[in-house]
Amino acid sequence: MQDKAMQDKAMQDKAMQDKDMHYKGKAHCYGRDIDTDVIIPARYLNTSDPQELAKHCLEGLDPTFVAHVRTGDILVAAENFGCGSSREHAPLAIQAAGIDAIIAKSFARIFYRNAINIGLPIMECPEAVDAIADGDVVRIDTDAGTITNETTNETFDVQPFPLFIREIIEAGGLINRTKKRLEAKQGANVETELTHANNIAANNIAANNTAANNTTNAAPATATPTPTNASATPAPTRTHRICLIPGDGIGPEIIAEACKVLGAIALKHSCRFSYTKALLGGVAIDECGDPLPFETLKIAKESDAVLLGAVGGPKWDTTDSQKLRPEQGLLGIRKAFDLYANVRPIQVFPSLYDASPIKSERLEGVDILMIRELTGGLYFGARKRISEENDEQTTCRAFDTLEYREHEIERILRFAFETASRRSQRLHSVDKANILETSRLWRETALRLAAEYPQVTLTNMLVDNAAMQLLKDPCQFDVIVTENMFGDILSDEASMLTGSLGMLASASLGASVALFEPAHGSAPDLAGTNTANPLAQILSAELMLRYRLNMHNAADDIARAVAEVLDQGWRTADIATPTTPSEKLVTTKQMGDLVSNVILLPLT
């Protein structure tokens, strides 16, 4: 054993000096569907020490594996290698046992990612696998894109690694690559960013431990993943100042996951996010006696964008109009910065069709943009409760005023026409013109503006009909524009198309400050349980990148990452169905880890 240790050390030292991405070693051949529980049984997951894991690598399949593997050897397998649970321990155990590379007919997608994350080269080549026998000497030349069986003198073509993956492997893993990139940037805070990346990798081990046998996640055997802009030169570091308002209930928990995802974006896109926390809602009432402190307005005004969690809760619920309510803070910040345009994408992910109460055939192709006027209407009109004496009885009378000025209507409708002209050129304007005078003014203004946008097909629809049509035939809609209260109700209704209100993000836009928040409430019953769905908050961060910070590629990365995580079957409780496997149920933090991981190494 001492001779083997000395031999391994010498070969490791040589490997550290070898940067040409060539690998040569004896083949150890195995069959198909070797899952991660076979690679490293669950009973050994009380440690993440690679050397301890290596002692038990493949022991259930081949008890002699560790004894006869030598550093530099190559593992060869058939289809679907690394299927089952997505634990990172599996590639760690293989690498620590001495295996330098893996060749298989196909890999489970998450195993592929986890292996690349730690710098373990893996390649798909069915033809080579069929031609390699146990004990053959195999040479891999990643520069030339070849796999050669030197025992039989046969050579097979394989697609070379993309630059992004090559850099990770050459650096010895994603963390090392990140450190090198940050060290190369002037003024980069290497330790802070590296710690974040390291936390993502460490958290993934904990998150992946919850998953178990799923043999349908093999990566396509013919595709080599290439990340977006993989060969682009990193741009100079830019700092984006974000006013962070966690708020009440689940707000702090879900906003932490959005920041985690933005940390992954910062690593990949060579930028920084600087956060200044501020108070709003119930927590602001408790600490400052004001649901919207002046300091919050000051911080928001000096920031590039505002990222908000949620406000409200039973602690502050009251019917007493003289008492402060958390929602006053939310309405106040909208009015203070004239955030008149609220944008809520209603996008249905195909993998969540079964989570929606609507029939799947009605959901295909649904991609609605709900535009809601946000600073007028009933929510901002005069309101009052009056006591009246009547026949020696005291009764109450209350009123709320629905009021709109023409310029308020025109600017939101113009925003909607402009947006529709950049999409499918279809616009539905929703009102109640058969009853309300404000709606008649709304419809008249819509018809007047339609003449300026002849390319856009305008359809005026009454709100009660719109509510029915959203469920009956949602695909008829592309852009919907409506007033404040109608928009509040219709967007919540439309969230059921997506499967959960926990999937609905929103952007509130104005002339200067922009605010981004999930459309759901504070869910106080879930606060502190680590079970809330953070995807609406994460997708709100995506909207922040897209609508405010002009980081469209980064926003696309978040959108793709969320879609991929859902396609893989991961679910928080609100979007799970009776058929969702228990091992695919994840916590708030685990969902944030999964999305972050896909962003850092986006494989398709």
Side-chain angles (χ1 to χ4, degrees):
M1 291 298 292
Q2 186 175 5
D3 291 341
K4 180 182 185 297
M6 293 177 64
Q7 180 187 12
D8 288 351
K9 178 66 167 61
M11 295 189 72
Q12 287 170 359
D13 291 342
K14 179 180 180 298
M16 289 297 292
Q17 298 170 2
D18 183 12
K19 297 296 183 182
D20 60 3
M21 299 282 285
H22 295 176
Y23 305 91
K24 180 178 177 179
K26 185 176 69 173
H28 301 269
C29 298
Y30 298 94
R32 62 173 297 152
D33 296 327
I34 297 175
D35 66 32
T36 51
D37 197 50
V38 170
I39 297 170
I40 182 68
R43 61 183 175 273
Y44 300 120
L45 300 184
N46 58 345
T47 179
S48 58
D49 177 19
Q51 297 308 316
E52 285 297 316
L53 294 171
K55 296 177 183 178
H56 308 286
C57 187
L58 290 173
E59 69 177 20
L61 179 67
D62 181 1
T64 68
F65 176 77
V66 176
H68 63 239
V69 166
R70 294 293 179 266
T71 300
D73 285 355
I74 293 172
L75 195 153
V76 180
E79 295 88 354
N80 207 21
F81 186 82
C83 56
S85 69
S86 57
R87 63 177 69 115
E88 285 191 354
H89 300 76
L92 282 171
I94 292 172
Q95 186 182 59
I99 294 296
D100 260 12
I102 307 176
I103 305 169
K105 290 187 177 182
S106 65
F107 292 92
R109 180 183 298 180
I110 297 181
F111 180 89
Y112 194 120
R113 179 182 301 112
N114 289 339
I116 297 297
N117 272 349
I118 65 170
L120 177 61
I122 61 178
M123 308 189 84
E124 293 177 340
C125 187
E127 299 82 7
V129 172
D130 287 337
I132 297 172
D134 199 67
D136 287 350
V137 176
V138 177
R139 176 166 49 86
I140 302 173
D141 186 338
T142 62
D143 293 325
T146 59
I147 296 174
T148 300
N149 184 337
E150 293 195 345
T151 302
T152 63
N153 201 28
E154 295 176 275
T155 298
F156 306 90
D157 292 331
V158 64
Q159 190 167 357
F161 289 126
L163 178 61
F164 181 71
I165 292 179
R166 180 189 175 98
E167 288 177 354
I168 293 174
I169 294 172
E170 283 184 324
L174 180 62
I175 300 301
N176 289 338
R177 174 183 179 265
T178 301
K179 182 177 180 180
K180 288 183 178 181
R181 292 181 70 192
L182 290 172
E183 285 175 342
K185 296 189 299 184
Q186 184 177 3
N189 186 338
V190 176
E191 292 305 320
T192 298
E193 300 293 353
L194 182 59
T195 298
H196 174 79
N198 205 25
N199 285 340
I200 290 174
N203 287 339
N204 284 341
I205 293 178
N208 291 338
N209 280 340
T210 65
N213 300 327
N214 173 16
T215 58
T216 63
N217 60 350
T222 58
T224 298
T226 304
T228 305
N229 295 333
S231 60
T233 301
T237 300
R238 177 183 174 186
T239 298
H240 302 285
R241 300 165 300 166
I242 309 301
C243 173
L244 203 65
I245 304 178
D248 308 317
I250 62 171
E253 298 170 66
I254 59 175
I255 213 164
E257 300 313 303
C259 291
K260 183 187 295 178
V261 169
L262 289 172
I265 289 294
L267 288 174
K268 184 174 180 181
H269 291 270
S270 300
C271 66
R272 288 177 172 282
F273 296 98
S274 173
Y275 302 106
T276 304
K277 285 189 177 182
L279 299 174
L280 185 79
V283 66
I285 293 173
D286 290 348
E287 294 194 22
C288 307
D290 187 344
L292 178 58
F294 175 78
E295 182 66 16
T296 296
L297 292 174
K298 181 175 181 294
I299 294 170
K301 186 176 181 180
E302 295 172 351
S303 300
D304 296 317
V306 179
L307 191 61
L308 170 66
V311 299
K315 178 180 179 180
W316 305 281
D317 279 348
T318 177
T319 58
D320 187 346
S321 60
Q322 301 304 311
K323 289 188 176 181
L324 296 173
R325 295 180 58 89
E327 294 76 13
Q328 291 172 314
L330 187 58
L331 295 176
I333 196 170
R334 291 171 179 173
K335 196 68 173 180
F337 294 116
D338 199 18
L339 303 176
Y340 69 90
N342 181 250
V343 178
R344 297 187 176 185
I346 315 294
Q347 181 181 4
V348 182
F349 293 90
S351 53
L352 290 184
Y353 284 173
D354 59 349
S356 173
I358 309 302
K359 292 179 179 179
S360 297
E361 57 266 27
R362 295 184 180 177
L363 298 176
E364 187 173 353
V366 170
D367 184 8
I368 302 170
L369 198 65
M370 186 86 67
I371 298 177
R372 167 189 171 194
E373 201 290 323
L374 204 58
T375 57
L378 270 176
Y379 293 178
F380 290 93
R383 59 178 55 89
K384 194 172 183 180
R385 183 180 299 191
I386 301 171
S387 296
E388 295 182 334
E389 297 291 338
N390 186 14
D391 296 331
E392 298 183 353
Q393 291 183 343
T394 301
T395 61
C396 285
R397 178 168 63 93
F399 66 86
D400 298 275
T401 306
L402 172 56
E403 180 180 9
Y404 268 111
R405 292 173 173 80
E406 186 175 7
H407 79 273
E408 293 175 314
I409 298 172
E410 179 171 339
R411 67 178 178 178
I412 192 64
L413 284 170
R414 192 174 295 279
F415 180 91
F417 272 107
E418 293 286 348
T419 301
S421 66
R422 295 190 295 269
R423 287 173 55 102
S424 71
Q425 301 183 344
R426 290 181 292 127
L427 175 63
H428 281 76
S429 176
V430 174
D431 58 40
K432 190 63 176 172
N434 59 336
I435 299 293
L436 301 176
E437 193 61 35
T438 50
S439 282
R440 284 190 273 271
L441 178 59
W442 183 284
R443 182 169 294 201
E444 289 171 7
T445 307
L447 292 170
R448 172 169 58 82
L449 290 180
E452 299 181 29
Y453 298 91
Q455 74 278 21
V456 176
T457 300
L458 171 68
T459 301
N460 290 296
M461 185 175 284
L462 295 176
V463 63
D464 39 359
N465 185 32
M468 179 186 68
Q469 295 294 334
L470 267 174
L471 302 182
K472 180 182 178 182
D473 182 20
C475 284
Q476 69 181 285
F477 297 104
D478 183 56
V479 178
I480 298 174
V481 61
T482 190
E483 62 96 62
N484 203 343
M485 188 175 70
F486 295 164
D488 191 2
I489 296 169
L490 290 179
S491 59
D492 279 12
E493 179 195 10
S495 73
M496 289 298 96
L497 301 172
T498 71
S500 170
L501 195 56
M503 297 297 300
L504 206 62
S506 79
S508 299
L509 310 175
S512 54
V513 175
L515 183 148
F516 303 86
E517 61 177 315
H520 59 67
S522 63
D525 55 320
L526 300 180
T529 65
N530 194 25
T531 58
N533 185 351
L535 290 179
Q537 185 79 68
I538 291 169
L539 292 170
S540 295
E542 177 223 331
L543 295 181
M544 180 180 76
L545 298 178
R546 195 179 303 280
Y547 281 95
R548 186 62 178 172
L549 303 183
N550 199 31
M551 297 176 64
H552 297 283
N553 288 339
D556 290 343
D557 281 344
I558 293 181
R560 280 192 294 265
V562 169
E564 182 172 337
V565 167
L566 293 173
D567 287 346
Q568 291 170 3
W570 302 106
R571 300 287 185 269
T572 46
D574 63 309
I575 51 176
T577 68
T579 61
T580 301
S582 60
E583 62 269 16
K584 286 294 185 179
L585 287 173
V586 295
T587 66
T588 306
K589 293 179 180 179
Q590 288 168 347
M591 184 61 84
D593 290 337
L594 288 165
V595 175
S596 298
N597 193 43
V598 175
I599 288 169
L600 287 171
L601 189 56
L603 303 181
T604 58

